[in-house]
């Protein structure tokens, strides 16, 4: 692709056919044993490895930056007053802790109006009252309960389910269930999702989607990286649903993404500066980490501490200044995540790698396989 074409990229150039059977419905039995395609972005060379082989590409003084956000059980099921119709409530964010106001999505939305009450449990110990419409599916709810604030949040989360993306089907189809039972004979689907749709270093609660790339890292792999002299740092990016909404404009310059809350500590900034000075690798794990780093980057490529929001949208062409390696999952056609990968690795190399991944049966999505992009 010539230089001019890079500046006139359209959404449709990122379209490809993704077979349904290559959308992962559950993770590999062990976090670090998912398949990993390694792409050398300068040459276009491709290798086929496992995630546990990641450490072979890094060494003393290199830095990995992960996302330590914690996913909360955002998907709830309720009954509408009088009709007792089934309603799904998807918690987005808490607006006021003392008043118990939450920003949510409801489905089916056409049945839910201001003033309606929704019962979350059989004993009606928690009732949600609709007090405002925000979008076509969005509502503001006030939760009514005798619980105090700490008990309320704990009980609300106990009623919830991990917010798996809709393409992960729960309950599973029969053929998928048989495969699941062979791999996880002693676990239920709920137990699997509660354990595996959360990173091992999740610490700061606030995400409604998992930082999928970070899900691959096990305690054993992290220890091996530490022994090799690799520094592990953490930013917080509270994954929001808005950044997964489809791009509906062909002209990428017209696409807007919703803001996402991020926290970058001074310790991370210092680690990046040391790595840059020593000409070491800085690896961003996941597109949300890369976006956070680029949001706080200065012209010299170093970063500063930050506590705030970002709505940065990265697509080709883009000059990355912080990370020089990238660990990601395989993303869906025409997604903002795929666009960022193509901006980093180059359009041609990225689409060729995806062509190979499809041919070789790599799994896509949050529970899917991984891709490591190195020089």
């Amino acid at each position: 692709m010539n230089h001019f074409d890079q500046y006139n990229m359209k959404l449709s150039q990122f379209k490809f056919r993704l077979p349904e059977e290559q959308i992962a419905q559950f993770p590999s039995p062990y976090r670090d044993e998912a398949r990993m395609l390694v792409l050398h972005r300068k040459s276009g060379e491709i290798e086929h490895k496992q995630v546990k082989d990641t450490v072979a590409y890094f060494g003393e003084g290199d830095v990995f930056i992960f996302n330590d956000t914690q996913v909360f059980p955002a998907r709830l099921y309720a009954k509408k007053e009088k009709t007792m119709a089934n309603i799904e409530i998807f918690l987005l964010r808490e607006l006021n802790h003392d008043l118990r106001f939450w920003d949510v999505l409801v489905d089916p939305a056409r049945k839910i109006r201001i003033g309606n009450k929704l019962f979350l449990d059989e004993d009606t110990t928690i009732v949600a009252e609709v007090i405002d419409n925000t979008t076509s599916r969005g509502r503001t709810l006030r939760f009514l309960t005798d619980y105090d604030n700490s008990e309320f949040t704990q009980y609300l989360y106990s009623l919830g389910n991990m917010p798996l993306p809709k393409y992960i089907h729960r309950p599973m189809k029969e053929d998928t269930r048989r495969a699941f039972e062979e791999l996880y004979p002693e676990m239920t689907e709920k137990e699997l999702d509660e354990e595996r749709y959360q990173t091992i270093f999740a610490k700061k609660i606030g995400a409604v989607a998992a930082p999928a790339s970070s899900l691959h890292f096990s305690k054993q792999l992290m220890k091996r990286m530490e022994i090799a002299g690799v520094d592990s740092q953490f930013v917080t990016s509270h994954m929001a649903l808005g950044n997964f909404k489809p791009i509906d404009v062909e002209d990428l310059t017209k696409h807007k993404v919703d803001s996402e809350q991020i926290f970058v500590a001074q310790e991370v900034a210092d680690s990046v500066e040391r790595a840059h000075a020593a000409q070491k690798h800085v690896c961003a794990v996941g597109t949300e980490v890369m976006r956070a780093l680029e949001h706080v980057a200065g012209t010299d490529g170093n970063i500063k501490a930050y506590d705030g929001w970002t709505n940065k949208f990265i697509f080709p062409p883009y000059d990355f200044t912080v990370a020089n390696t990238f660990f990601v999952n395989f993303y869906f056609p025409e997604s903002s995540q795929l666009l960022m990968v193509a901006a980093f690795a180059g359009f041609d190399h990225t689409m060729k790698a995806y062509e190979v991944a499809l041919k070789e049966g790599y799994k896509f999505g949050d529970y899917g396989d991984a891709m490591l992009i190195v020089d």
Side-chain angles (χ1 to χ4, degrees):
M1 176 171 293
N2 64 42
H3 183 74
F4 178 80
D5 288 338
Q6 285 277 6
Y7 282 84
N8 291 273
M9 301 210 72
K10 303 298 182 183
L11 179 65
S12 55
Q13 292 176 260
F14 297 88
K15 190 172 185 177
F16 60 88
R17 180 183 172 274
L18 176 59
E20 185 177 355
E21 60 269 20
Q22 283 186 246
I23 300 174
Q25 294 299 307
F26 44 81
S28 60
Y30 299 97
R31 289 180 186 267
D32 60 11
E33 290 190 358
R35 299 173 70 188
M36 181 176 75
L37 184 149
V38 181
L39 171 62
H40 297 260
R41 62 174 177 162
K42 287 182 179 176
S43 66
E45 178 191 353
I46 289 172
E47 301 177 85
H48 300 287
K49 302 287 185 178
Q50 286 184 300
V51 171
K52 63 184 178 183
D53 300 318
T54 300
V55 69
Y57 295 86
F58 299 91
E60 187 76 35
D62 292 335
V63 180
F64 267 63
I65 304 177
F66 301 93
N67 186 1
D68 66 1
T69 188
Q70 183 176 338
V71 184
F72 64 91
R75 184 169 281 120
L76 302 162
Y77 298 97
K79 298 282 189 182
K80 185 183 176 185
E81 63 175 341
K82 296 179 182 176
T83 66
M84 301 307 286
N86 292 319
I87 305 296
E88 179 183 297
I89 300 172
F90 195 101
L91 302 173
L92 294 177
R93 63 190 180 99
E94 189 176 47
L95 300 175
N96 187 306
H97 183 64
D98 293 332
L99 296 177
R100 298 167 186 171
F101 287 1
W102 276 80
D103 187 17
V104 307
L105 298 176
V106 293
D107 187 30
R110 67 184 183 279
K111 296 183 178 181
I112 306 304
R113 297 179 175 85
I114 294 173
N116 286 161
K117 288 185 171 63
L118 307 173
F119 305 133
L120 275 76
D121 58 1
E122 291 183 0
D123 299 326
T124 64
T125 52
I126 293 184
V127 177
E129 181 183 11
V130 182
I131 62 173
D132 197 10
N133 297 329
T134 53
T135 64
S136 60
R137 291 181 57 216
R139 302 290 186 272
T140 300
L141 299 184
R142 174 172 58 197
F143 288 96
L144 310 172
T145 179
D146 291 332
Y147 285 120
D148 65 30
N149 281 347
S150 61
E151 291 174 331
F152 159 70
T153 302
Q154 185 177 0
Y155 187 64
L156 183 68
Y157 287 170
S158 75
L159 296 174
N161 294 273
M162 292 303 274
L164 301 178
K166 290 290 191 179
Y167 60 76
I168 297 178
H169 305 292
R170 296 291 186 270
M172 295 176 177
K173 297 178 181 178
E174 186 57 35
D175 56 342
T176 309
R177 168 165 286 285
R178 286 195 296 270
F180 165 81
E181 289 173 346
E182 289 180 11
L183 289 173
Y184 309 96
E186 298 180 359
M187 295 184 80
T188 65
E189 294 175 36
K190 185 176 176 64
E191 289 170 340
L192 175 78
D193 296 329
E194 287 175 348
E195 178 185 340
R196 296 295 298 277
Y197 201 65
Q198 196 81 270
T199 67
I200 63 168
F201 36 73
K203 185 167 63 173
K204 298 175 182 175
I205 195 161
V208 297
S213 304
S214 289
L215 296 177
H216 291 292
F217 287 81
S218 65
K219 291 180 180 178
Q220 293 83 356
L221 178 55
M222 298 289 282
K223 187 64 178 179
R224 289 174 58 218
M225 290 168 59
E226 180 186 344
I227 292 169
V230 176
D231 181 20
S232 293
Q233 294 291 332
F234 301 88
V235 301
T236 304
S237 179
H238 288 319
M239 311 282 287
L241 281 187
N243 288 301
F244 299 92
K245 66 184 180 184
I247 300 173
D248 57 7
V249 289
E250 180 72 354
D251 181 353
L252 298 175
T253 64
K254 291 181 167 56
H255 179 63
K256 306 295 182 186
V257 297
D258 293 345
S259 293
E260 201 162 77
Q261 192 173 20
I262 61 173
F263 304 89
V264 180
Q266 186 61 46
E267 182 182 357
V268 181
D270 295 341
S271 181
V272 167
E273 187 168 357
R274 286 194 299 271
H276 283 175
Q279 296 185 312
K280 297 293 184 177
H281 294 113
V282 175
C283 184
V285 181
T287 56
E288 75 288 347
V289 170
M290 184 69 86
R291 179 170 58 247
L293 295 175
E294 289 297 316
H295 181 87
V296 300
T299 54
D300 59 356
N302 290 322
I303 64 176
K304 58 183 182 296
Y306 182 79
D307 178 350
W309 297 78
T310 180
N311 62 352
K312 194 174 187 68
F313 175 44
I314 298 175
F315 60 96
Y318 185 86
D319 292 325
F320 292 85
T321 58
V322 183
N324 48 28
T325 52
F326 203 7
F327 186 99
V328 291
N329 274 32
F330 284 100
Y331 302 112
F332 283 29
E334 300 183 316
S335 63
S336 61
Q337 293 84 6
L338 173 58
L339 268 60
M340 187 188 296
V341 172
F344 185 84
F347 175 81
D348 291 336
H349 287 336
T350 299
M351 300 312 286
K352 177 62 178 177
Y354 268 57
E355 182 182 323
V356 171
L358 288 165
K359 182 179 178 182
E360 296 294 327
Y362 279 77
K363 296 290 188 179
F364 284 61
D366 282 12
Y367 275 160
D369 292 317
M371 180 176 177
L372 174 63
I373 307 169
V374 297
D375 284 341

